[in-house]
Amino acid sequence: DAKTTQPTSMDCAEGRAANLPCNHSTISGNEYVYWYRQIHSQGPQYIIHGLKNNETNEMASLIITEDRKSSTLILPHATLRDTAVYYCIVRVDYGNQFYFGTGTSLTVIP
Amino acid sequence: DAGITQSPRHKVTETGTPVTLRCHQTENHRYMYWYRQDPGHGLRLIHYSYGVKDTDKGEVSDGYSVSRSKTEDFLLTLESATSSQTSVYFCAISRDRGAADTQYFGPGTRLTVL
């Protein structure tokens, strides 16, 4: 699986958009970008995934650059409950596991 | 949220005792996985199953065995627990193993081996 690089930590004001970047410069053509988050001691929660097009669901938007070497997860209106560690994962086709790195610790500030 | 439950949610046991953790799903997904999460190591795959009675090893399988007698249940057994197996254990499920197949995780079991 391609390696990802994320900032260690970020802050975001409540009600503002949280933009979480991820670099995956070695991504291959058949690898998807996934985002999960983990709120303290809970199981990882799936947020969104995409291959090359931008994606949006009820939780977030995923913006993938045209060269696919980086992506940004956008939480449009961050709330205190969005405080969590966010993981960007590149998923190879027919791999067994998701490789969770160290992620970005997002703190939403009142 | 995907219908995944894990039991027990917390367990304290002593070194040398057997321990079985259960993962139950209501989604009828083919694939089930056991991970452990430790500080500094992220999530590491222990074993996974690709169908009833079909299982295979993951990255850190030593000291663990698994069984899947029904689609909905995946059991993780520590035959003789050791302190190094103190961890948080997560079960995950997925419909298939392709790159577009999302893994959904359970709430976790916190195991302490004294």
Side-chain angles (χ1 to χ4, degrees):
Chain A
D1 292 311
K3 180 180 172 60
T4 62
T5 304
Q6 300 177 252
T8 302
S9 63
M10 294 179 63
D11 292 338
C12 177
E14 188 178 17
R16 304 296 294 268
N19 295 278
L20 291 90
C22 180
N23 286 321
H24 31 77
S25 59
T26 60
I27 193 169
S28 299
N30 63 345
E31 292 177 328
Y32 279 69
V33 179
Y34 279 77
W35 284 84
Y36 283 80
R37 71 182 183 185
Q38 190 170 24
I39 298 169
H40 179 64
S41 296
Q42 298 181 20
Q45 180 186 21
Y46 165 76
I47 301 173
I48 198 166
H49 73 282
L51 182 61
K52 52 186 175 182
N53 297 322
N54 297 338
E55 302 287 345
T56 296
N57 62 21
E58 64 278 4
M59 288 183 68
S61 295
L62 173 60
I63 308 298
I64 303 174
T65 58
E66 194 168 340
D67 62 7
R68 302 186 71 234
K69 293 185 177 182
S70 66
S71 61
T72 300
L73 178 74
I74 301 172
L75 307 178
H77 305 287
T79 71
L80 299 179
R81 287 187 292 182
D82 292 322
T83 292
V85 178
Y86 287 76
Y87 297 96
C88 169
I89 300 162
V90 172
R91 170 88 161 130
V92 67
D93 206 11
Y94 290 94
N96 288 326
Q97 68 181 90
F98 279 73
Y99 289 93
F100 286 73
T102 54
T104 296
S105 178
L106 174 70
T107 301
V108 180
I109 301 168
Chain B
D1 289 334
I4 309 169
T5 56
Q6 293 185 231
S7 59
R9 294 294 313 281
H10 302 272
K11 186 169 182 67
V12 180
T13 191
E14 300 207 339
T15 298
T17 60
V19 176
T20 295
L21 308 183
R22 179 180 183 240
C23 176
H24 179 79
Q25 62 144 330
T26 58
E27 306 296 321
N28 200 36
H29 281 6
R30 179 182 174 194
Y31 282 80
M32 298 185 75
Y33 311 81
W34 278 108
Y35 289 84
R36 61 177 288 175
Q37 185 173 33
D38 306 288
H41 289 279
L43 272 80
R44 293 180 290 175
L45 183 67
I46 305 171
H47 282 280
Y48 70 98
S49 169
Y50 47 97
V52 173
K53 295 188 178 8
D54 294 321
T55 66
D56 206 348
K57 296 179 180 180
E59 183 183 356
V60 290
S61 59
D62 287 348
Y64 301 95
S65 63
V66 290
S67 65
R68 191 169 178 199
S69 59
K70 297 185 290 185
T71 299
E72 57 267 35
D73 289 326
F74 192 33
L75 304 181
L76 176 71
T77 297
L78 292 65
E79 300 290 349
S80 178
T82 68
S83 59
S84 64
Q85 293 176 312
T86 292
S87 187
V88 181
Y89 291 85
F90 291 103
C91 173
I93 65 173
S94 68
R95 191 172 286 112
D96 206 326
R97 203 158 53 103
D101 292 300
T102 303
Q103 284 190 13
Y104 297 96
F105 288 80
T109 293
R110 183 173 296 275
L111 176 67
T112 302
V113 183
L114 301 175

